[in-house]
Amino acid sequence: MQHTCANIIHLFQSIIALPDTILAKLDAVLFELHRRGWGDWPAALLLLSPAFLILSVFVLAPMVSSFYMSLFGGRHGLGHYVGLENYVIAMRNLEFRSSLMVTLYYVAGVVPLSLTISFSIAYGLYRITIGRGLLRSIYFLPYITSAVAAAMIWRALFNPQNGAINILLNYIGVESLNWLLEPHGALYIITNGYIPSNWGPSLALVCIILFDVWHSCGFMTVIFLAGLTAIPRELEEAARIDGAGTFRLIRHVTLPMLSPTLFFLLIVGVIKAFQTFNSFYALTHGSSMPGTQNLILYIYAQFYEYGYWGYGAAVATLLMLAIVLLTLIQWHFVGRRVHYS
Amino acid sequence: MRHHSLFPIFIASISVFVIGCSNAPPGFLPVNNNAAVFWDRQTTESAELLRTVAKEFNQEWTGLPIKVERSGTYGDIFRKITAGIHAKRLPALAVSYESMTNEYIPTGAVTPLDSLLADPEIGLSAKELSDYFPMMLETNRYATHDGTLYSFPFAKSLLMLYFNKRVLAHSGIEAPPKTWDEFIAQCRQVKKNTSNYAHAVSADCSTLNGMIFSMGGSVIEGRTTLYNTPEALAVFQIYETLFKEKLAYLISPGSYEDNIALSKGDIAFVLRSSSSLEDMKLLMQKDPDGWGLTCIPQRNPETPATVLYGPNICIFNTTEAQKRSAWAFVKHFTAPESAVRWSLKTGYLPVRKSVLTHPDMIAFWKKWPYNRAPFDCLTFARPEPNVAGWQQVRNLAARAVTEVMTGMRDATSSADELKHRADDALAQVADSSTLP
């Protein structure tokens, strides 16, 4: 144990260059605690404390603070104590429910699409040998492009009057669409009014989903590619000898072996999708157009435009709980099917 | 027992946040200790002129210098100020609409200006004060806060109708419309002759209010909105007709696609602020005689009305030195000589009456007949409401116009829904207590 303590002390010394006298005292304290039966706990806590302190200040404390704020009414500050009333108001509020639906449509659209497309690209890149590095860089480019700058380009492409997409559609004889300015449901438009307008995401939301799929695919592709290259070649070769075609190979070998990567991307993708702000704000200019206000924009408006701190904090807490709950559900149901070896 | 070792650290960090987010004492720190920072939204030539005026002011003024910082759109500035209020750090002054100022007042962030106006050294004399348009001063007195002057007129403008003469001539139209019936008829005529849209709509609360005023209506009475009155409904019906007959299209929020379309001859009409005058001149510099501007159409041209908008200035409750510099700059900026330059260069209306008789202004009107149009409308312009919670109503109004212009709702249900939701929003503000 004394050896372990000395290692820890040397580690600290190399980082913060403590004077030898202090280090010797610290060493003696840790050794004494170990001798009295505390085991490795003091050393472990000492090592964990910097990370825990940072997490406490920047994650845990804001979470608790947000919950505390959510118990108060008033505007531009904390007014009177209202208990859980802000939560009740949120549950009854039509705009909150509409923002929640927009968020759910968005998550349901962007996560599966991103995973499927980026897996396809990664698998394609994995299979080719010439120009893989170049193509990987090209597919990664959207991810490192500023979302706001890219959104400006997409806004121009989707412009109903002179955007490239409508010009192309007109060229092939299809009527122009309003794209980002279209609050009607995408299904309503596709089925020419057969499906009610309020069913499914608005066309404007579909545009935002497409933008984010494009923007996030590069990151997921690189992660998938790393996972694919880690799969032992012998497994594939054995499957090939047993007569497996490409799709059976993917279904029975590649995907199970890739399941930790897939699981990681699923968890991260869902959390990120719930918290998306940039693309919504940049593509819609933060406007209150129906069908494009997700929960984050809703919270933003409550805080920064209307001054309802307590109510905004309540919605933020609800969103956090929803994310935690969904992550636990994913962990429970999907996590069991992940092969780690 | 041992598991509780980190508990004190956790509690301490949470306490810091909770204390920080709760009822901190009033008082705000300046964002810059060495200069009085001015958050503004002007771009291009007007931004350049503002900086020039600030530079001239700094050469004469012995206090803290004014530093103009472009801080995005009015909405961006509002959000930045709101965040600054939370962080207790604010600029010396910023542009602000009445609805925004009303949100800042309860936090104690805004300085009442009456004492600065009466200051023997940098205040305004009674003669000087009477030179300001009373209506512009009145709209900066907040009835819900004892009629205190919390902001000061800065860059006022009016809702005007811009038109492309070439498109009108091509459609056989000699003069722009004077009434809303004529406006719709001319839109149809343009559509028929050019197969193009005649108008581009910016979904905006001020434009909606201006149109309601021109119909002879109002938008608020006490704390109850009037968005479902016959006058307001008539405006929504105009939007409905424009959408259904494909006479107009909706532009992207926050964009100036309509001005560009007008300059390219793609549409005939645009409803915009008189402050777009200089931008339009730039856009139309290849065909300066191909366009014009006039008062917005009316229900009854005998009793015209339009909306007076444009930002005011708020001075924030930071240090005395910051406040004095900020006010001295506002006084300098609205002095007749500066006001004339500002008005000539930007298209904004002067806030002082004496500017209207200034030789430079008279020469400007003679130079191009349409230069005078906004000034002719000044006498019948009406300010927008300055009640608390109006910021939320503005968003709701923009949404209502969007819903009609995209066919999501008809005129009647849109007007009813807006009235219902706007009243709810204002009632909610009235019910909510602010800082204790």
Side-chain angles (χ1 to χ4, degrees):
Chain A
M1 176 60 200
Q2 197 164 18
H3 184 67
T4 314
C5 291
N7 281 345
I8 294 165
I9 301 303
H10 286 307
L11 177 71
F12 271 84
Q13 192 179 26
S14 64
I15 297 169
I16 52 176
L18 287 172
D20 285 345
T21 47
I22 296 176
L23 288 171
K25 278 182 186 168
L26 203 57
D27 197 7
V29 169
L30 284 175
F31 181 70
E32 183 58 26
L33 286 171
H34 185 262
R35 203 176 61 79
R36 287 185 186 183
W38 285 67
D40 289 339
W41 272 98
L45 290 175
L46 190 69
L47 284 170
L48 285 171
S49 58
F52 189 79
L53 191 69
I54 290 168
L55 279 174
S56 299
V57 172
F58 293 107
V59 180
L60 295 172
M63 271 163 55
V64 175
S65 166
S66 174
F67 176 71
Y68 173 76
M69 283 169 73
S70 73
L71 304 176
F72 292 85
R75 299 175 72 230
H76 301 295
L78 303 185
H80 51 286
Y81 177 79
V82 294
L84 296 176
E85 197 183 313
N86 281 326
Y87 293 88
V88 178
I89 293 171
M91 291 300 181
R92 287 182 186 155
N93 189 297
L94 284 177
E95 203 175 339
F96 167 77
R97 283 192 233 165
S98 153
S99 304
L100 179 65
M101 282 313 293
V102 168
T103 309
L104 293 176
Y105 284 138
Y106 174 80
V107 175
V110 85
V111 176
L113 267 177
S114 303
L115 286 173
T116 311
I117 293 172
S118 44
F119 173 75
S120 307
I121 295 169
Y123 197 77
L125 289 175
Y126 173 62
R127 286 285 157 209
I128 60 166
T129 48
I130 302 166
R132 186 197 289 181
L134 177 71
L135 285 170
R136 191 175 53 192
S137 304
I138 289 171
Y139 283 112
F140 195 64
L141 271 179
Y143 186 70
I144 55 169
T145 309
S146 151
V148 176
M152 291 299 112
I153 306 292
W154 278 66
R155 260 179 78 150
L157 290 174
F158 280 128
N159 189 295
Q161 304 311 314
N162 47 26
I165 296 173
N166 269 352
I167 291 172
L168 202 69
L169 285 180
N170 293 344
Y171 185 73
I172 57 170
V174 179
E175 211 175 310
S176 293
L177 291 170
N178 273 335
W179 300 114
L180 284 163
L181 295 173
E182 184 56 75
H184 285 104
L187 295 172
Y188 170 85
I189 293 164
I190 292 167
T191 60
N192 210 9
Y194 185 73
I195 292 177
S197 177
N198 54 357
W199 283 26
S202 66
L203 182 62
L205 182 60
V206 171
C207 295
I208 298 172
I209 290 172
L210 290 176
F211 170 79
D212 271 326
V213 168
W214 168 81
H215 195 251
S216 62
C217 265
F219 171 73
M220 290 191 172
T221 301
V222 169
I223 303 287
F224 270 131
L225 206 52
L228 284 167
T229 47
I231 298 174
R233 285 271 177 183
E234 306 86 71
L235 288 175
E236 282 189 11
E237 283 161 11
R240 288 274 189 210
I241 291 166
D242 289 344
T246 304
F247 286 103
R248 289 184 70 193
L249 188 73
I250 292 172
R251 166 76 182 82
H252 296 290
V253 178
T254 312
L255 284 178
M257 292 303 290
L258 207 58
S259 56
T261 309
L262 200 58
F263 183 56
F264 164 74
L265 288 176
L266 178 70
I267 298 274
V268 171
V270 168
I271 293 173
K272 213 176 146 200
F274 266 100
Q275 296 174 335
T276 303
F277 175 80
N278 285 357
S279 49
F280 277 86
Y281 191 82
L283 285 170
T284 66
H285 205 264
S287 75
S288 47
M289 214 190 58
T292 58
Q293 184 180 244
N294 69 352
L295 275 177
I296 296 287
L297 274 187
Y298 180 70
I299 293 166
Y300 182 78
Q302 299 306 320
F303 263 101
Y304 291 108
E305 296 203 18
Y306 312 147
Y308 293 114
W309 287 24
Y311 180 70
V315 179
T317 307
L318 284 175
L319 177 65
M320 185 201 72
L321 289 175
I323 293 173
V324 169
L325 192 70
L326 211 65
T327 306
L328 288 176
I329 290 171
Q330 287 178 91
W331 213 279
H332 184 72
F333 288 103
V334 186
R336 284 194 299 195
R337 305 183 69 174
V338 176
H339 299 265
Y340 285 103
S341 58
Chain B
M1 170 75 183
R2 285 180 295 174
H3 296 264
H4 293 167
S5 302
L6 294 177
F7 195 66
I9 302 171
F10 179 61
I11 290 296
S13 54
I14 286 171
S15 306
V16 168
F17 265 79
V18 169
I19 291 164
C21 296
S22 58
N23 309 323
F28 297 86
L29 294 172
V31 290
N32 186 334
N33 287 322
N34 304 317
V37 173
F38 176 19
W39 283 356
D40 185 59
R41 71 151 290 276
Q42 298 300 326
T43 53
T44 60
E45 291 189 339
S46 49
E48 204 179 307
L49 177 61
L50 186 59
R51 270 189 219 104
T52 307
V53 175
K55 200 174 165 186
E56 290 165 2
F57 168 80
N58 290 340
Q59 282 166 357
E60 292 170 14
W61 176 248
T62 52
L64 286 172
I66 293 291
K67 189 181 174 201
V68 181
E69 286 182 1
R70 185 171 190 272
S71 302
T73 63
Y74 292 118
D76 294 333
I77 293 171
F78 174 67
R79 288 170 203 128
K80 281 182 74 171
I81 295 287
T82 311
I85 290 170
H86 296 185
K88 300 272 175 193
R89 219 168 246 280
L90 289 167
L93 67 167
V95 285
S96 174
Y97 275 92
E98 292 89 341
S99 57
M100 298 172 180
T101 307
N102 226 319
E103 299 290 322
Y104 308 149
I105 295 169
T107 67
V110 192
T111 302
L113 298 177
D114 292 300
S115 58
L116 287 167
L117 252 71
D119 188 285
E121 194 190 332
I122 53 170
L124 290 168
S125 68
K127 192 184 168 195
E128 283 174 315
L129 199 57
S130 66
D131 191 31
Y132 288 85
F133 286 104
M135 170 185 53
M136 292 186 189
L137 282 176
E138 272 317 298
T139 184
N140 288 290
R141 291 196 177 276
Y142 294 81
T144 43
H145 299 281
D146 306 324
T148 308
L149 189 76
Y150 272 110
S151 51
F152 204 77
F154 175 68
K156 308 309 284 184
S157 54
L158 304 170
L159 182 68
M160 302 293 294
L161 178 75
Y162 291 80
F163 54 92
N164 186 309
K165 285 184 186 174
R166 311 287 178 222
V167 178
L168 293 186
H170 185 259
S171 309
I173 300 165
E174 288 176 0
K178 285 197 165 22
T179 65
W180 286 110
D181 289 341
E182 281 178 27
F183 176 76
I184 293 290
Q186 290 193 4
C187 284
R188 287 179 180 137
Q189 211 169 326
V190 169
K191 171 93 180 169
K192 192 178 162 191
N193 284 280
T194 64
S195 304
N196 271 344
Y197 290 105
H199 177 41
V201 171
S202 167
D204 166 62
C205 180
S206 296
T207 307
L208 175 72
N209 293 345
M211 290 171 76
I212 294 170
F213 293 161
S214 73
M215 287 285 182
S218 293
V219 292
I220 196 164
E221 197 173 79
R223 287 191 66 81
T224 308
T225 63
L226 302 170
Y227 281 120
N228 65 346
T229 56
E231 293 84 5
L233 188 59
V235 173
F236 279 106
Q237 280 163 346
I238 288 172
Y239 281 127
E240 193 174 49
T241 305
L242 292 172
F243 167 72
K244 280 189 174 167
E245 297 185 25
K246 294 191 174 177
L247 302 175
Y249 63 87
L250 195 64
I251 63 162
S252 308
S255 77
Y256 289 89
E257 291 164 5
D258 48 350
N259 287 1
I260 295 165
L262 187 88
S263 69
K264 286 161 70 180
D266 292 342
I267 54 173
F269 303 115
V270 161
L271 284 165
R272 276 280 180 187
S273 153
S274 57
S275 62
S276 282
L277 184 66
E278 291 306 310
D279 288 340
M280 281 305 301
K281 280 181 183 171
L282 279 175
L283 287 168
M284 294 294 290
Q285 57 188 345
K286 284 185 183 166
D287 185 14
D289 297 323
W291 68 289
L293 75 159
T294 183
C295 179
I296 62 168
Q298 305 288 322
R299 169 171 276 174
N300 179 5
E302 297 298 311
T303 52
T306 188
V307 64
L308 173 78
Y309 47 26
N312 308 298
I313 287 279
C314 263
I315 295 178
F316 294 103
N317 225 343
T318 53
T319 63
E320 272 308 305
Q322 294 264 337
K323 286 193 259 186
R324 288 182 76 79
S325 284
W327 168 250
F329 176 70
V330 172
K331 186 185 166 187
H332 173 84
F333 188 82
T334 55
E337 285 304 318
S338 306
V340 169
R341 282 165 70 197
W342 179 246
S343 191
L344 294 179
K345 192 89 173 177
T346 63
Y348 279 110
L349 298 168
V351 295
R352 294 178 75 144
K353 294 181 227 168
S354 56
V355 172
L356 300 180
T357 53
H358 195 282
D360 290 353
M361 188 55 79
I362 292 164
F364 173 68
W365 291 340
K366 281 184 182 162
K367 199 171 157 190
W368 193 54
Y370 295 111
N371 279 339
R372 206 193 150 89
F375 297 86
D376 290 337
C377 301
L378 192 54
T379 49
F380 51 79
R382 291 166 56 185
E384 290 186 90
N386 66 2
V387 296
W390 196 253
Q391 199 58 30
Q392 196 170 349
V393 176
R394 288 185 68 83
N395 286 350
L396 293 170
R399 178 180 285 204
V401 173
T402 303
E403 285 179 341
V404 178
M405 282 304 298
T406 52
M408 286 289 282
R409 283 182 188 275
D410 62 23
T412 311
S413 78
S414 208
D416 286 341
E417 177 76 3
L418 173 58
K419 151 87 180 155
H420 171 68
R421 295 190 66 182
D423 285 352
D424 274 358
L426 294 180
Q428 199 182 343
V429 169
D431 287 345
S432 306
S433 69
T434 52
L435 282 170

